[in-house]
Amino acid sequence: MSVIYQDLHQFSTYIPPINLTFHQYLLLTNEPILFHTGNVQQATEMVPKLKSILGDNNLNYIFVSHFEADECGGLSYLLEHFPQAIPICPEVTARQLTGFGLVQEFISKKPGEKLTTESYDLEFFSYPSEMHLWEGLLVLEKRRGIFFSSDLMIRFGEANNAILESNWETEIDDISKEQVPDQERRIKLQQTLKQLNPNFVATGHGPCLKV
Ligand SMILES: [Fe+2]
Ligand SMILES: [Fe+2]
């Protein structure tokens, strides 16, 4: 069973040499949206599962937090199978994806912007990630209180379908300088996140968190 929280499905791959689990998520609604593509290999394994869950329904959106293989390496492969799906990504990522010829159509979002549909309310936040401090995005789904933390709030180990009880404030305080090296931007990020009140953290790696 891939359901991890309400109508959120999780797809996971554990990579033993680096002791890290990689997750992608499908919010199964009238406007299905996928969070992270996984790398090509992970996307190849995920597509048949997605097709069996979605049935005749389209995949509407694919959210990409930042330009890195596990977040968008499988994008071309996914778009071959779901050509109607529109990638949603930060502006810098959109530049990379179009520059490499990986996408033609996309929606780029700035921090503070939203995407509201019949089934969910997404709000996007700045993610100054360690990838050259390129501007990435984090996203909160406000109706269910699901925060997609990308490479933040992660843990090592095998974590397929795993949920950990945790504390939102502690998770924010634990964001390290290795993850966001620019101190000013790290503090600003922590201040922004502390204003939020999610129920569930869908991590990119490691157990999900009940907060
Ligand atoms: Fe990443
Ligand atoms: Fe990641």
Side-chain angles (χ1 to χ4, degrees):
M1 193 63 176
S2 65
V3 173
I4 188 118
Y5 185 72
Q6 297 185 10
D7 47 3
L8 187 70
H9 291 247
Q10 183 190 57
F11 308 93
S12 303
T13 314
Y14 176 62
I15 311 283
I18 54 172
N19 189 29
L20 192 63
T21 305
F22 294 76
H23 303 301
Q24 300 85 44
Y25 298 91
L26 174 71
L27 195 61
L28 187 60
T29 69
N30 293 338
E31 299 102 344
I33 174 168
L34 184 73
F35 295 84
H36 317 156
T37 68
N39 64 23
V40 169
Q41 208 182 340
Q42 289 156 4
T44 307
E45 283 166 27
M46 177 170 59
V47 160
K49 297 177 195 165
L50 277 176
K51 286 190 172 170
S52 96
I53 294 171
L54 289 166
D56 291 336
N57 296 317
N58 287 331
L59 178 63
N60 288 44
Y61 299 111
I62 301 173
F63 172 73
V64 173
S65 160
H66 55 275
F67 190 75
E68 199 176 3
D70 57 318
E71 279 82 18
C72 60
L75 190 58
S76 298
Y77 185 79
L78 273 158
L79 290 174
E80 278 172 33
H81 289 269
F82 301 100
Q84 309 91 336
I86 301 173
I88 301 174
C89 58
E91 288 178 315
V92 174
T93 300
R95 251 194 340 260
Q96 302 311 312
L97 291 172
T98 48
F100 280 96
L102 298 173
V103 296
Q104 280 157 6
E105 203 188 338
F106 60 84
I107 297 174
S108 80
K109 287 286 181 187
K110 292 193 186 76
E113 291 186 338
K114 294 176 185 172
L115 184 107
T116 301
T117 71
E118 263 178 38
S119 342
Y120 45 83
D121 294 316
L122 302 179
E123 182 168 351
F124 302 93
F125 300 93
S126 167
Y127 175 26
S129 73
E130 78 280 17
M131 293 292 291
H132 314 286
L133 286 177
W134 278 2
E135 190 67 34
L137 286 175
L138 301 164
V139 58
L140 174 69
E141 197 295 297
K142 295 171 114 174
R143 282 187 221 176
R144 298 160 185 77
I146 303 173
F147 183 72
F148 293 87
S149 71
S150 189
D151 294 339
L152 298 175
M153 305 177 184
I154 68 171
R155 289 165 173 78
F156 286 95
E158 203 165 354
N160 183 0
N161 214 20
I163 301 175
L164 200 70
E165 296 274 345
S166 188
N167 175 282
W168 180 240
E169 300 254 322
T170 314
E171 292 294 331
I172 295 168
D173 290 338
D174 286 348
I175 295 171
S176 66
K177 69 173 188 308
E178 285 72 29
Q179 292 177 300
V180 183
D182 182 310
Q183 193 190 9
E184 217 170 288
R185 296 175 83 185
R186 186 172 66 254
I187 290 169
K188 197 167 171 225
L189 170 68
Q190 287 170 317
Q191 284 168 347
T192 305
L193 296 184
K194 284 200 180 176
Q195 318 265 322
L196 310 181
N197 187 23
N199 303 312
F200 190 83
V201 180
T203 58
H205 311 274
C208 286
L209 307 171
K210 274 218 166 96
V211 291

